[in-house]
Amino acid sequence: MTETITSRPVRTGTLEVPPALGGLGLFTVLLGAALPLVDFFIVNVALPTIGADLSASEAVLELVVAGYGVAYAVLLVLGGRLGDLFGRRRLFLGGMAAFGLTSLACGLAPDAWSLVAARVAQGASAAAMLPQVLATIQATTTGPRRARAMSLYGATAGLSMVAGQILGGVLVAADIAGTGWRSVFLVNVPVVLVGLFLAARAVPETRSARPEPVDVPGTFLLAASILTLLVPLTEGRAAGWPLWTWLSLAAFPFAAAAFYAVERRADRAGRTPLVPPSLFAIVSLRRGLLLIVPFSIGFSGFMFVIAVALQQGAGLGPVAAGLALAPLAVVFFLFSLAGPRLVARYGTRVVPVGAALQGVGLALMTLAAWRSWPDLGLVELLPGAAVAGAGQALQLPVVLRVVLSEVPAVRAGVGGGVMVTTQQASLALGVATLGTLFLSLVPGMGMRDALVTTLLVQLAGVALTGLLSLRLPRTIA
């Protein structure tokens, strides 16, 4: 099976030269990749202000975070399939426009439940936009240009997650025109307008020559699997672990097994299911996805926990709490730029080195929390944050390249959707697990010991990523 790549307008079945993704087009799709990840983390330091302004309970505030993350994770693979079917540029434009509108709705929300609903819609629009980024890169680049584009995508993903938290603190404190926390959402609107203008001019249209129809049973079963796992883990602690949370968790393995059975049957019948099990026969994809899970759980869990600890425990304001992670962001960016040259020379051996560096950085931050509490801020966290940033930069961009390196172009949308779904579900799982662990320990242990314990648990996760990285292919196709 081959894929026809077409320029505007899309013409199915007509073989043409694949359009090249120029520098401006690459910048535009990377901007689209940054927006959803920034918004996943931007609310962490704004939650106390949102709660005070809207009189929102802790459970509702957790829904502000979880509603976005769960909707995003549930619909990502479907977004990739729709891009293959209707055109990736078209879905990118539509998703970005919807993201701008839902961001406006978040910023204007009159009460907490309106904000939760707008965040769910925002997550759904992000799921339409993000898979088109990877699929477009896969379909319009080859060789060194693809390697460079994928490295920049990985760098953008990692930097966005840290920058979102820093930006959130700055915007809340700046209180632009009296908007307070609302500015963390309203800032998306002008960015989206610029993105739409650039995308209309610089992003080529691509689609599959033989697009498959939407896998309806697979879509519903994947949604059921993700929802039965993430919703109870996210809301259980704040709700007091009622019966429905345990019933939901008990249903998860059955929903996951049913999803796998339906997808395997469709795959063997020659159809293209939502997540083809045959895709996991690609060793680089399978092992890369396995590594993304603990890495993303630890990353998002750390970002959530440190935001709460610095504001509620160390008494820092939103700006100081956000800027405490600035060294991590700066070093991550610098090492991401050097990543492609290091991979060209040493291959994926840089990944276990990165895991070791991240472990050292996390250990330094744990030691700083133990010795300096409650005087914990930028200066105390700087050495550990800088070392951890370097380690993360040597892992995430490289692993993202590995996952998609051998996925055929005809499955670019599906492969990209599977990867970002794994990443996003793991990010949401990190907040649900490490965040729940930390908040559950605080009443009995106190803020410092709860923070130290949670960081040690994350350190065990970093050790796991280091071990898993030893199984990656030595070179990237």
Side-chain angles (χ1 to χ4, degrees):
M1 179 184 288
T2 59
E3 180 181 35
T4 299
I5 308 295
T6 61
S7 299
R8 297 187 299 265
V10 176
R11 289 183 291 168
T12 305
T14 304
L15 190 62
E16 297 181 0
V17 177
L21 185 67
L24 184 60
L26 179 60
F27 170 82
T28 305
V29 295
L30 291 180
L31 178 66
L35 281 170
L37 289 170
V38 165
D39 256 59
F40 184 87
F41 290 91
I42 202 169
V43 298
N44 281 349
V45 292
L47 287 176
T49 310
I50 294 173
D53 187 42
L54 299 182
S55 302
S57 66
E58 185 180 348
V60 175
L61 287 178
E62 289 190 1
L63 279 175
V64 172
V65 178
Y68 176 85
V70 172
Y72 188 16
V74 163
L75 296 172
L76 273 166
V77 180
L78 178 61
R81 173 61 60 84
L82 292 176
D84 290 346
L85 187 63
F86 296 112
R88 293 159 188 150
R89 175 176 170 273
R90 181 180 299 176
L91 261 291
F92 181 80
L93 286 166
M96 180 173 277
F99 191 85
L101 291 172
T102 52
S103 296
L104 181 63
C106 289
L108 300 178
D111 54 61
W113 285 107
S114 297
L115 178 58
V116 170
R119 283 284 282 173
V120 171
Q122 190 185 34
S125 62
M129 174 173 58
L130 185 61
Q132 318 317 325
V133 175
L134 286 169
T136 298
I137 290 174
Q138 289 288 97
T140 60
T141 60
T142 56
R145 292 183 65 250
R146 178 180 293 179
R148 176 175 174 270
M150 285 302 302
S151 294
L152 288 172
Y153 174 85
T156 299
L159 190 60
S160 298
M161 291 187 275
V162 183
Q165 201 140 309
I166 297 172
L167 180 62
V170 171
L171 288 173
V172 170
D175 193 21
I176 302 169
T179 54
W181 61 267
R182 298 178 186 275
S183 61
V184 304
F185 302 112
L186 297 176
V187 71
N188 291 331
V189 177
V191 176
V192 164
L193 291 175
V194 172
L196 290 172
F197 174 77
L198 294 178
R201 297 172 59 88
V203 177
E205 180 66 284
T206 65
R207 64 180 289 179
S208 174
R210 300 176 184 175
E212 297 284 342
V214 172
D215 175 12
V216 176
T219 300
F220 277 108
L221 286 171
L222 177 62
S225 301
I226 295 175
L227 289 170
T228 52
L229 177 65
L230 292 183
V231 172
L233 287 177
T234 302
E235 287 295 300
R237 186 196 61 83
W241 297 106
L243 179 62
W244 71 263
T245 60
W246 299 109
L247 292 176
S248 180
L249 289 172
F252 165 70
F254 296 100
F259 171 69
Y260 177 75
V262 167
E263 299 299 273
R264 183 176 61 177
R265 189 180 304 115
D267 208 10
R268 289 178 173 176
R271 301 189 299 272
T272 302
L274 191 69
V275 180
S278 59
L279 200 64
F280 294 93
I282 303 174
V283 174
S284 55
L285 179 136
R286 185 175 66 250
R287 293 182 179 176
L289 289 178
L290 192 61
L291 196 152
I292 283 175
V293 172
F295 180 90
S296 298
I297 288 174
F299 198 116
S300 63
F302 168 78
M303 297 295 286
F304 176 80
V305 167
I306 203 70
V308 174
L310 291 178
Q311 290 188 90
Q312 296 184 8
L316 299 185
V319 173
L323 291 180
L325 297 176
L328 193 155
V330 172
V331 175
F332 185 101
F333 177 70
L334 294 176
F335 271 71
S336 294
L337 296 179
R341 291 192 296 273
L342 292 173
V343 172
R345 183 170 181 178
Y346 299 108
T348 59
R349 285 174 291 182
V350 301
V351 179
V353 173
L357 283 174
Q358 185 187 1
V360 171
L362 192 59
L364 289 174
M365 286 189 280
T366 304
L367 183 62
W370 176 262
R371 296 179 59 181
S372 303
W373 190 265
D375 300 318
L376 192 64
L378 173 62
V379 174
E380 292 77 18
L381 291 174
L382 192 152
V387 175
Q392 289 169 339
L394 294 179
Q395 295 176 81
L396 183 61
V398 181
V399 174
L400 296 183
R401 281 181 58 189
V402 168
V403 170
L404 295 180
S405 61
E406 296 179 293
V407 175
V410 72
R411 287 186 163 181
V414 175
V418 169
M419 187 183 78
V420 293
T421 297
T422 302
Q423 182 186 25
Q424 182 57 41
S426 300
L427 290 174
L429 194 58
V431 175
T433 53
L434 291 179
T436 296
L437 172 66
F438 171 70
L439 294 173
S440 299
L441 292 176
V442 169
M445 300 179 66
M447 189 73 73
R448 184 197 71 168
D449 290 352
L451 175 61
V452 169
T453 302
T454 306
L455 292 179
L456 290 175
V457 171
Q458 189 197 346
L459 193 58
V462 173
L464 176 60
T465 63
L467 292 173
L468 291 173
S469 68
L470 298 175
R471 291 175 52 80
L472 292 175
R474 288 298 182 191
T475 59
I476 301 176

